[in-house]
Amino acid sequence: MTVRYKLGCTLSYQVLAPSVFIFNIEVARLRRHVNMTERLVVTPDLPLRTHTVPDINNRYFGVHASPGPLTIHYEAEVTLDPFRADPDTVKETPVADLPLDIMPFLLPSRFVPSDRLADFARKEFGYLKRGFERVTAICNWLYNNIDYRRGASNEQTTATESLILRAGVCRDFAHLGIAFCRALDIPARFVSCYAYGLQPNDFHAVFEVYLDGRWWLFDGTRMANLDGLVRIGVGRDAAEIAFCSPFGAVDCGPVEISIDRADGLPEPWPRTIDAISTEEPAPNAGAL
Amino acid sequence: MTVRYKLGCTLSYQVLAPSVFIFNIEVARLRRHVNMTERLVVTPDLPLRTHTVPDINNRYFGVHASPGPLTIHYEAEVTLDPFRADPDTVKETPVADLPLDIMPFLLPSRFVPSDRLADFARKEFGYLKRGFERVTAICNWLYNNIDYRRGASNEQTTATESLILRAGVCRDFAHLGIAFCRALDIPARFVSCYAYGLQPNDFHAVFEVYLDGRWWLFDGTRMANLDGLVRIGVGRDAAEIAFCSPFGAVDCGPVEISIDRADGLPEPWPRTIDAISTEEPAPNAGAL
Amino acid sequence: MTVRYKLGCTLSYQVLAPSVFIFNIEVARLRRHVNMTERLVVTPDLPLRTHTVPDINNRYFGVHASPGPLTIHYEAEVTLDPFRADPDTVKETPVADLPLDIMPFLLPSRFVPSDRLADFARKEFGYLKRGFERVTAICNWLYNNIDYRRGASNEQTTATESLILRAGVCRDFAHLGIAFCRALDIPARFVSCYAYGLQPNDFHAVFEVYLDGRWWLFDGTRMANLDGLVRIGVGRDAAEIAFCSPFGAVDCGPVEISIDRADGLPEPWPRTIDAISTEEPAPNAGAL
Amino acid sequence: MTVRYKLGCTLSYQVLAPSVFIFNIEVARLRRHVNMTERLVVTPDLPLRTHTVPDINNRYFGVHASPGPLTIHYEAEVTLDPFRADPDTVKETPVADLPLDIMPFLLPSRFVPSDRLADFARKEFGYLKRGFERVTAICNWLYNNIDYRRGASNEQTTATESLILRAGVCRDFAHLGIAFCRALDIPARFVSCYAYGLQPNDFHAVFEVYLDGRWWLFDGTRMANLDGLVRIGVGRDAAEIAFCSPFGAVDCGPVEISIDRADGLPEPWPRTIDAISTEEPAPNAGAL
């Protein structure tokens, strides 16, 4: 089943001195993001510098703004055609079979010090059946053990701190899920997205796990449908895909985000129990 | 049942430049440490400065050593007559009824950042029946979730680090147990001791928890009998009761510790299931 | 020169469920706090439990409050008669000559992990002339290297974090000053006080350092006169002398603090250059 | 001046259970690494999986080893023809002119939490003249403020910890230099290499900084000539370019590294004062 979404965001800033902004708010161009139409309006009308990261398809644009107000308005329509599978059929890929270009997603990163969690992850999840089921167990652990609480964390909070504090927001749930996976030698990465059904409307963060030759979506917060996530970017962790990185003297104004079904139908319920992927199989897989 | 123990230690150092040493290796003088005889030999024969901390009875002695070898030999015999109670009868003391001079043992300390563990402790232990039983649950959690592993920690490891690493030595078990208790508003403190039955022989660390008007012994490692612990010192955490604090240029040599039953009988088995205290009831308790 | 101050505070809370509060807001009873008169009003009129810590003279009181508003009003008048000395005459006390009961103030504590700063302190201050002058150099370093900035820290910030962030409030300046001293084997402790001249009015935090047989006041923030500090409490760090420790469900309302000269004269200027102590010489000093 | 080097390493392991190893020990194929000849011998003779990262040219190879001994022997000859410039001519690239694909090297990473060092870096280096000179000042600061000391750090040590401990090894010097640069909005990355003249022989770690459209080498340890560094890999930090990443049960044996001039001439002295780069100008630079 495919669904068409209309989504967008409006970001406002007061620029106090000449400043550079890098944005990552545009929907990734993926084969499973079908028939995408987009509009980006920068006010005032400034030249844009753009960059799409090879392979992972993150789209960045930069502007160099003079003092005064700056507004970014982005809107898109896109039909989601995710790949679906029966979770029971999705096996763990042995390390020996991981493509070498996926190995970086086994490494610790700024907010995911997975190198410190080897014993923790082994003790909590090491004995479980490997595959999609084990990552689902990690998500269940997150849901049952971490409180979703605004203000419990800040932009420097790491997964180990969230583990101690036992509270956080979607970003922290994703970081901790990624940390457990990497500590178990399962590649995992951070995903920023528009999330249909998320309340209140905001950018959302989930994570992807590499299993059985492909990246699969997971969300420990249970706050949105996995097949209603429209991906913006992927990265080692939140550091790589901030929706806005300002360099200079800037006051941040309001952020408005929206996503709705283009057909006006209500959110599907119950939520999907399929394994969901918006990625193609990794092209260069090959066992030793 | 009382048992008489003979115990002692020999500590060796090579002093490279004039140095001060503070030791805390002598058995605490408590009413339940009965008929204690002791011998302390410092080689070379240096003047000692001594200090016994009021109320908590920690005994420190200091020496000012010149370059050359320094050896400390201590031995004692003491009969342990601990106070015993049925664990089921030991209730939690409400905060409103805690003596104000016991309140410091609710505070976070260097190795026990309990202020960061409020949510963690509440989630794991908050729903349990209060009293001795809940602290026993904490000890069981430690035993089941933390690996005893030499080298997993060092002298700067905190309870939150142990919680993440899920491994440590007796000092780390005690710190984490104390952290959980304080996070639940239960006073707890660190105890250094000679421990009958500990393998291999070493100084041991356990913790005491204030319940029902009295301090009770707990040990998450299950490495020794609670009624075979001969207390040396108590403190907020390990920082306060290092067995040796050298100031100066010193090489540390071997440390030998021993404790045996003076009557030569074997270690009792099974281990006690009594609640064990070597302290008297707090004298100045009084409810608001 | 002695000056008489009138000072006080009003603290307001909304108690949501039966709660215990411990307060440490009363002026310490010291010989150099002369002719003190005080008034404490708790509304509603609840029974108080009080405790004065031996030797260090911190005064705590506890109340057990029912749901509803709670207001604490304290006021005092006191004449400050600090001990003064020429800073050049105040020497460092060698570790060998430190009273053993002062040794705990060499130890790391929750917010002062001085055990991690040995190299840092040695590199920055190790080569300086020992004594009052070296601690003054530490205060100058704090003033020149740390920004005073509200919001830069929170109630869990440690001295090492402040050292990295290079910003903090009075509490953080005191913690870092204490950390450097302890790392250099100089006893140091945290002091909470009413501070004449502080803008805006608030509780203030400074630190005391044990030199030449006595505790001396230091303040790296340069925000108030050292001879206009009216001491409330001393402790290893801020953990021990919170002005209010609530246990229960409580909303904190406004805090009002005031201190003025009882004679209405203006603040003295320039500030004192004397070494200032409000303590007597340590009674049990004695060299090995 | 070009110099030809012969270099290599021998790494030995005892494999206890079937394990995967990823190695990054081969010299990067760069235009300025001229006339390279190489030999790689894996004993036993196992199939290799190889991967060269686009753009940055890191070369990885993986083996899947059965229990028993495993030895990796690598040797190469290569002529270094680094790009040289007068340091005074190398300017800082304004953020507005940074290619977007270089921006990731402004981000914090596992061992480089540069997001916490903005104030520190601004206070120490913010007032300095921008360009090569300012990064040289950072290297001088490292050399003067951090002790090179084996054992002061471990494989989990971050730049902020090194900053507090004020001691570390080449890896820590590089991480801290990178942290300061990123905190000042200067792209910087970690470099692993064979280093001619390094005593004792070992893999070396330095860092590269993006200035004036090109990556330049820097080394705060002053342990080797910048024009005698033969690059292996570059990455955000050490996490990305471990020379060996084992997955499985493995005992690590000795590591032997060597690098000599192929012409047998002695090490040049004094060391170069040129700005040294082994990279070409970034191809996609373009100002907004």
Side-chain angles (χ1 to χ4, degrees):
Chain A
M1 188 195 72
T2 65
V3 178
R4 189 157 184 82
Y5 294 97
K6 45 191 298 187
L7 57 89
C9 64
T10 303
L11 315 176
S12 306
Y13 302 92
Q14 195 64 34
V15 181
L16 308 175
S19 298
V20 172
F21 293 75
I22 311 292
F23 292 98
N24 178 216
I25 57 173
E26 296 166 293
V27 173
R29 292 208 179 94
L30 306 174
R31 204 175 64 74
R32 293 178 178 281
H33 285 175
V34 180
N35 287 336
M36 185 153 66
T37 61
E38 295 179 290
R39 196 164 68 102
L40 175 65
V41 183
V42 176
T43 311
D45 186 17
L46 296 167
L48 302 187
R49 207 154 33 120
T50 64
H51 176 58
T52 299
V53 180
D55 300 328
I56 61 171
N57 297 304
N58 294 354
R59 299 165 66 195
Y60 297 93
F61 66 90
V63 300
H64 192 175
S66 301
L70 174 70
T71 305
I72 308 293
H73 178 75
Y74 173 73
E75 58 188 54
E77 273 200 36
V78 62
T79 299
L80 277 198
D81 181 23
F83 181 81
R84 294 163 185 275
D86 175 354
D88 291 346
T89 67
V90 180
K91 309 298 179 202
E92 197 169 305
T93 307
V95 171
D97 296 343
L98 289 175
L100 284 173
D101 64 351
I102 277 176
M103 289 274 176
F105 296 104
L106 289 177
L107 299 175
S109 57
R110 170 67 181 102
F111 300 117
V112 182
S114 49
D115 47 335
R116 301 184 64 202
L117 289 173
D119 279 344
F120 197 112
R122 180 179 50 74
K123 280 171 172 293
E124 294 286 348
F125 311 110
Y127 62 94
L128 296 173
K129 191 182 152 204
R130 299 186 172 210
F132 198 93
E133 184 176 328
R134 180 152 73 156
V135 184
T136 298
I138 289 174
C139 288
N140 291 344
W141 189 98
L142 293 171
Y143 184 77
N144 290 321
N145 287 279
I146 308 292
D147 287 341
Y148 188 95
R149 193 162 72 228
R150 287 173 195 283
S153 60
N154 63 34
E155 74 285 357
Q156 296 189 348
T157 302
T158 64
T160 43
E161 287 166 349
S162 298
L163 184 50
I164 285 181
L165 298 178
R166 299 285 281 261
V169 297
C170 59
R171 173 187 186 280
D172 306 301
F173 279 72
H175 283 156
L176 190 48
I178 295 167
F180 286 144
C181 288
R182 292 184 189 166
L184 295 165
D185 292 337
I186 308 169
R189 64 188 187 183
F190 191 87
V191 177
S192 61
C193 56
Y194 297 90
Y196 179 64
L198 185 69
Q199 289 300 338
N201 265 332
D202 203 347
F203 291 115
H204 193 40
V206 301
F207 65 111
E208 282 184 348
V209 178
Y210 188 86
L211 297 167
D212 223 357
R214 190 191 282 264
W215 290 102
W216 303 90
L217 284 162
F218 290 91
D219 182 359
T221 70
R222 299 189 191 170
M223 292 176 74
N225 263 340
L226 289 181
D227 54 3
L229 303 177
V230 182
R231 177 169 129 192
I232 301 169
V234 297
R236 283 164 173 77
D237 62 30
E240 289 196 351
I241 45 174
F243 69 85
C244 174
S245 304
F247 297 86
V250 172
D251 281 348
C252 295
V255 173
E256 286 168 33
I257 292 133
S258 68
I259 175 167
D260 293 287
R261 288 177 68 128
D263 57 14
L265 290 175
E267 184 182 9
W269 191 262
R271 294 184 169 169
T272 184
I273 58 166
D274 290 340
I276 298 289
S277 173
T278 57
E279 283 274 353
E280 306 314 302
N284 54 349
L288 276 176
Chain B
M1 188 195 72
T2 64
V3 177
R4 189 157 184 84
Y5 294 98
K6 45 191 299 189
L7 56 90
C9 65
T10 303
L11 315 175
S12 307
Y13 302 91
Q14 194 64 33
V15 181
L16 308 175
S19 298
V20 172
F21 293 76
I22 311 292
F23 292 98
N24 178 217
I25 57 173
E26 296 167 292
V27 172
R29 291 205 179 96
L30 306 174
R31 203 175 65 76
R32 293 178 178 283
H33 286 175
V34 179
N35 288 336
M36 182 153 69
T37 61
E38 298 178 289
R39 197 164 68 103
L40 174 65
V41 183
V42 176
T43 312
D45 186 18
L46 295 167
L48 302 186
R49 203 152 38 117
T50 65
H51 175 58
T52 299
V53 181
D55 300 329
I56 61 172
N57 297 305
N58 294 354
R59 298 164 67 194
Y60 297 94
F61 66 89
V63 300
H64 193 174
S66 300
L70 173 71
T71 305
I72 308 294
H73 178 74
Y74 173 73
E75 57 188 55
E77 272 200 37
V78 62
T79 299
L80 277 197
D81 180 23
F83 180 81
R84 294 163 184 276
D86 175 352
D88 291 345
T89 67
V90 179
K91 309 300 178 200
E92 196 169 304
T93 306
V95 170
D97 295 343
L98 289 174
L100 285 173
D101 63 351
I102 277 177
M103 289 274 175
F105 295 105
L106 290 177
L107 299 176
S109 57
R110 171 67 181 102
F111 300 116
V112 181
S114 50
D115 45 337
R116 301 185 64 203
L117 290 173
D119 278 345
F120 198 112
R122 180 180 51 76
K123 280 172 173 294
E124 294 287 347
F125 310 110
Y127 62 94
L128 296 174
K129 191 181 151 205
R130 300 186 170 209
F132 199 93
E133 183 176 327
R134 179 151 75 155
V135 184
T136 299
I138 290 174
C139 287
N140 292 343
W141 189 98
L142 293 171
Y143 184 77
N144 290 322
N145 287 280
I146 308 292
D147 287 341
Y148 189 95
R149 191 162 74 229
R150 287 174 195 282
S153 60
N154 62 34
E155 75 285 354
Q156 296 189 349
T157 302
T158 64
T160 43
E161 287 167 351
S162 299
L163 183 52
I164 286 185
L165 299 177
R166 298 284 282 260
V169 297
C170 59
R171 175 188 185 280
D172 305 301
F173 280 72
H175 283 156
L176 190 47
I178 295 167
F180 286 144
C181 288
R182 292 184 189 166
L184 295 165
D185 293 338
I186 308 169
R189 64 188 189 184
F190 192 87
V191 177
S192 61
C193 56
Y194 297 90
Y196 179 64
L198 185 69
Q199 288 300 337
N201 264 333
D202 202 347
F203 290 115
H204 194 37
V206 299
F207 64 111
E208 281 183 349
V209 178
Y210 187 86
L211 297 168
D212 223 357
R214 192 190 280 264
W215 291 102
W216 303 91
L217 284 162
F218 290 90
D219 182 359
T221 70
R222 299 188 191 171
M223 293 175 74
N225 263 341
L226 289 181
D227 55 2
L229 303 178
V230 182
R231 177 170 129 192
I232 301 170
V234 296
R236 281 164 174 78
D237 62 29
E240 290 195 351
I241 46 174
F243 70 84
C244 173
S245 305
F247 298 85
V250 172
D251 281 349
C252 295
V255 172
E256 286 169 32
I257 291 131
S258 68
I259 174 168
D260 292 290
R261 286 177 69 128
D263 58 14
L265 290 175
E267 183 181 9
W269 191 262
R271 292 183 170 172
T272 183
I273 56 166
D274 291 340
I276 297 289
S277 173
T278 56
E279 282 275 351
E280 305 314 303
N284 52 350
L288 274 176
Chain C
M1 192 194 71
T2 65
V3 177
R4 188 156 185 86
Y5 294 97
K6 45 192 298 187
L7 56 89
C9 65
T10 304
L11 315 175
S12 306
Y13 303 91
Q14 194 64 34
V15 181
L16 308 174
S19 297
V20 172
F21 293 77
I22 311 291
F23 293 97
N24 178 217
I25 57 173
E26 296 167 293
V27 172
R29 290 206 179 96
L30 306 174
R31 204 176 63 75
R32 294 180 178 282
H33 285 174
V34 179
N35 288 334
M36 185 153 66
T37 61
E38 296 179 290
R39 197 164 69 103
L40 175 65
V41 183
V42 177
T43 311
D45 186 18
L46 297 166
L48 302 187
R49 206 154 33 119
T50 64
H51 176 58
T52 299
V53 180
D55 299 331
I56 60 171
N57 298 304
N58 293 354
R59 299 165 66 194
Y60 297 93
F61 68 88
V63 300
H64 193 174
S66 301
L70 173 70
T71 304
I72 308 294
H73 178 74
Y74 173 72
E75 57 189 55
E77 271 200 37
V78 62
T79 298
L80 278 198
D81 181 23
F83 181 81
R84 294 163 185 275
D86 175 353
D88 291 346
T89 65
V90 179
K91 309 300 177 199
E92 197 169 306
T93 306
V95 170
D97 296 344
L98 289 176
L100 285 173
D101 63 352
I102 277 177
M103 289 275 178
F105 295 105
L106 290 177
L107 298 176
S109 57
R110 170 66 181 100
F111 300 116
V112 181
S114 50
D115 47 336
R116 301 185 63 204
L117 289 174
D119 279 344
F120 198 111
R122 181 180 49 74
K123 280 173 171 293
E124 293 287 348
F125 310 111
Y127 61 94
L128 295 173
K129 192 182 150 203
R130 300 186 170 208
F132 199 93
E133 184 176 327
R134 180 151 73 156
V135 184
T136 299
I138 289 174
C139 287
N140 291 343
W141 189 98
L142 293 171
Y143 184 77
N144 291 319
N145 288 280
I146 308 293
D147 287 340
Y148 188 96
R149 193 162 71 228
R150 286 174 194 282
S153 60
N154 61 35
E155 74 285 356
Q156 296 189 350
T157 302
T158 64
T160 43
E161 287 167 349
S162 299
L163 184 52
I164 285 181
L165 299 177
R166 298 286 279 260
V169 296
C170 59
R171 175 186 185 282
D172 306 301
F173 279 72
H175 283 155
L176 190 47
I178 294 167
F180 286 144
C181 288
R182 292 184 189 166
L184 295 165
D185 293 337
I186 308 170
R189 65 187 188 183
F190 192 86
V191 177
S192 61
C193 56
Y194 297 89
Y196 178 63
L198 185 69
Q199 288 300 336
N201 264 333
D202 203 347
F203 291 115
H204 193 39
V206 299
F207 64 111
E208 282 184 349
V209 178
Y210 188 84
L211 297 168
D212 223 358
R214 191 191 281 262
W215 290 101
W216 303 90
L217 285 162
F218 290 91
D219 182 358
T221 70
R222 298 190 191 169
M223 292 175 74
N225 263 341
L226 290 181
D227 54 3
L229 304 177
V230 182
R231 177 169 131 191
I232 301 169
V234 296
R236 282 163 172 79
D237 61 29
E240 289 195 351
I241 45 175
F243 70 86
C244 174
S245 305
F247 298 86
V250 172
D251 281 349
C252 295
V255 173
E256 286 168 33
I257 292 133
S258 68
I259 174 167
D260 293 288
R261 287 177 68 129
D263 57 15
L265 289 176
E267 184 182 8
W269 191 263
R271 293 181 171 172
T272 184
I273 57 167
D274 291 341
I276 298 290
S277 173
T278 56
E279 282 274 353
E280 306 314 301
N284 53 349
L288 277 175
Chain D
M1 189 193 72
T2 65
V3 177
R4 188 157 185 85
Y5 294 97
K6 44 190 301 188
L7 57 89
C9 65
T10 303
L11 315 176
S12 306
Y13 302 92
Q14 194 64 33
V15 180
L16 309 175
S19 299
V20 173
F21 293 76
I22 311 292
F23 293 98
N24 178 217
I25 57 172
E26 296 166 293
V27 172
R29 291 207 179 95
L30 306 174
R31 204 176 64 74
R32 294 179 177 282
H33 285 175
V34 180
N35 288 335
M36 185 153 68
T37 62
E38 297 178 288
R39 198 163 68 102
L40 175 65
V41 183
V42 175
T43 311
D45 186 17
L46 296 167
L48 302 186
R49 204 154 35 118
T50 64
H51 176 58
T52 299
V53 180
D55 300 328
I56 61 171
N57 297 305
N58 294 354
R59 299 165 65 195
Y60 297 93
F61 67 89
V63 301
H64 194 173
S66 300
L70 173 71
T71 305
I72 308 293
H73 179 75
Y74 173 72
E75 57 189 53
E77 272 200 36
V78 62
T79 299
L80 277 197
D81 181 23
F83 180 81
R84 292 164 187 274
D86 175 353
D88 291 345
T89 66
V90 179
K91 308 301 177 199
E92 198 170 304
T93 305
V95 170
D97 295 344
L98 289 175
L100 284 173
D101 63 351
I102 278 178
M103 289 275 176
F105 295 106
L106 289 177
L107 299 175
S109 57
R110 170 67 181 100
F111 300 117
V112 181
S114 50
D115 46 336
R116 300 184 65 203
L117 289 174
D119 279 343
F120 198 111
R122 180 179 51 74
K123 280 171 172 293
E124 294 286 347
F125 309 110
Y127 62 93
L128 295 174
K129 193 183 150 203
R130 300 186 169 208
F132 199 93
E133 184 176 326
R134 179 151 74 156
V135 184
T136 300
I138 289 174
C139 287
N140 291 343
W141 189 98
L142 294 170
Y143 184 77
N144 291 320
N145 287 279
I146 308 293
D147 287 342
Y148 189 95
R149 192 162 72 227
R150 287 174 193 283
S153 59
N154 62 35
E155 75 285 356
Q156 296 189 349
T157 302
T158 65
T160 43
E161 287 167 350
S162 299
L163 183 52
I164 285 183
L165 298 178
R166 299 285 281 262
V169 297
C170 59
R171 173 187 187 283
D172 305 302
F173 279 71
H175 283 156
L176 190 47
I178 294 167
F180 286 144
C181 288
R182 291 184 190 167
L184 295 165
D185 292 338
I186 308 169
R189 64 188 189 183
F190 192 85
V191 177
S192 61
C193 57
Y194 297 89
Y196 178 64
L198 186 69
Q199 289 300 337
N201 265 333
D202 202 347
F203 291 115
H204 193 38
V206 300
F207 64 111
E208 281 184 349
V209 178
Y210 187 84
L211 297 168
D212 223 357
R214 192 190 279 264
W215 291 102
W216 303 91
L217 285 162
F218 290 91
D219 182 358
T221 69
R222 298 189 191 170
M223 293 176 73
N225 263 341
L226 289 182
D227 55 3
L229 303 177
V230 182
R231 176 170 130 191
I232 301 169
V234 296
R236 283 164 175 75
D237 62 28
E240 289 195 352
I241 45 175
F243 69 86
C244 173
S245 304
F247 298 86
V250 171
D251 281 348
C252 295
V255 173
E256 286 168 32
I257 292 132
S258 68
I259 173 168
D260 293 288
R261 286 177 69 130
D263 58 14
L265 289 176
E267 183 182 9
W269 191 263
R271 294 183 170 172
T272 183
I273 58 167
D274 291 341
I276 298 289
S277 173
T278 56
E279 283 274 351
E280 304 315 301
N284 53 351
L288 276 175

